[in-house]
Amino acid sequence: MLSRSLRIVLAEDSVLLREGLVRLLEEAGHAVVAAVDNADELVPAVLAHRPDVAVVDVRMPPTFTDDGLRAAVEARRAQPGLGVLVLSQYVEESYARDLLADGLGGVGYLLKDRVQDLDSLEDALSRVAGGGSAIDPEVVAQLLVRRRVADPLGGLTPREREVLGLMAEGRSNAAIAQHLVVSDGAVEKHIRNVFTKLGLPPSEEDHRRVLAVLAWLRGAS
């Protein structure tokens, strides 16, 4: 669970889901400083309240396509450092890729089914608020399946691709080691190999992790 309360702006057009999320987040100790029902109101709400994180539905009025996502990207431009956690009913690679495009981290992409699990939601909020990434494990799994036909990251070994997939979920080195039942040193070696093979020069560790995840999402492009 989070060690601090977060100030959150929520953008969700479904009344039931919006009210449910407000109650869930507030019961978890966070402050929902604004809750809007359309994408056009997101950026003004962010500018007015300066939240730690914006939780945003992808498909919202006025067009019910990707209005929420585009508003979230605009909100990050308006408030640098804003954490953004987007919610979607669908696995859409471009959504996760567009969110990570600035390479700054502090973004997450969860399927709506996941928000019913408070631990998963809290974990994603913690990672996003801390400047990391939090991509739904189901999204990672489906994208890995799509990559098998023509893997754009063919230079990575199967274990390195597995480590990169776990990095995409936002897991720490220790959590990856525990999941794979290997040592922390082995994980660090795999991650160094991933950085080298993806051509990521030495820099801050968190920044390179975000860039590695972005490279994986971009694929051949």
Side-chain angles (χ1 to χ4, degrees):
M1 305 294 280
L2 285 173
S3 59
R4 66 186 180 97
S5 174
L6 297 174
R7 288 167 49 81
I8 296 172
V9 165
L10 172 63
E12 167 60 56
D13 64 293
S14 167
V15 175
L16 290 178
L17 183 55
R18 185 172 65 252
E19 292 183 353
L21 279 170
V22 168
R23 174 173 292 186
L24 191 66
L25 291 167
E26 290 184 342
E27 287 180 352
H30 306 300
V32 179
V33 295
V36 302
D37 62 3
N38 66 82
D40 292 340
E41 295 182 11
L42 175 61
V43 174
V46 166
L47 291 175
H49 296 281
R50 296 289 172 176
D52 301 300
V53 178
V55 178
V56 186
D57 184 15
V58 169
R59 299 190 178 190
M60 298 186 68
T63 71
F64 291 98
T65 54
D66 63 348
D67 302 80
L69 177 68
R70 288 187 284 109
V73 172
E74 185 179 348
R76 278 170 65 84
R77 295 194 191 103
Q79 182 184 319
L82 173 68
V84 171
L85 178 62
V86 300
L87 307 177
S88 176
Q89 291 180 325
Y90 311 96
V91 175
E92 190 62 55
E93 180 177 350
S94 62
Y95 294 164
R97 186 180 64 237
D98 291 348
L99 276 174
L100 286 163
D102 60 14
L104 298 177
V107 296
Y109 175 22
L110 285 187
L111 295 180
K112 285 190 173 182
D113 289 346
R114 196 76 59 184
V115 301
Q116 300 175 28
D117 180 350
L118 181 57
D119 288 339
S120 295
L121 180 59
E122 283 277 87
D123 185 49
L125 285 169
S126 178
R127 293 173 181 175
V128 168
S133 61
I135 301 178
D136 195 293
E138 181 63 23
V139 176
V140 173
Q142 291 198 32
L143 295 183
L144 281 172
V145 169
R146 296 175 190 176
R147 293 283 188 256
R148 288 174 187 164
V149 177
D151 192 349
L153 304 178
L156 302 183
T157 66
R159 177 63 90 183
E160 288 164 356
R161 287 198 297 270
E162 189 174 13
V163 169
L164 183 51
L166 293 169
M167 286 169 60
E169 293 180 19
R171 302 198 192 201
S172 66
N173 288 12
I176 293 173
Q178 183 177 14
H179 180 81
L180 298 178
V181 195
V182 298
S183 69
D184 289 353
V187 171
E188 291 172 2
K189 180 179 178 181
H190 289 312
I191 291 176
R192 284 197 303 270
N193 289 341
V194 168
F195 289 158
T196 298
K197 291 179 180 180
L198 293 181
L200 299 175
S203 64
E204 292 185 10
E205 178 75 8
D206 288 344
H207 184 59
R208 282 209 292 178
R209 291 173 83 93
V210 172
L211 292 178
V213 172
L214 178 59
W216 177 68
L217 288 168
R218 280 175 172 163
S221 63

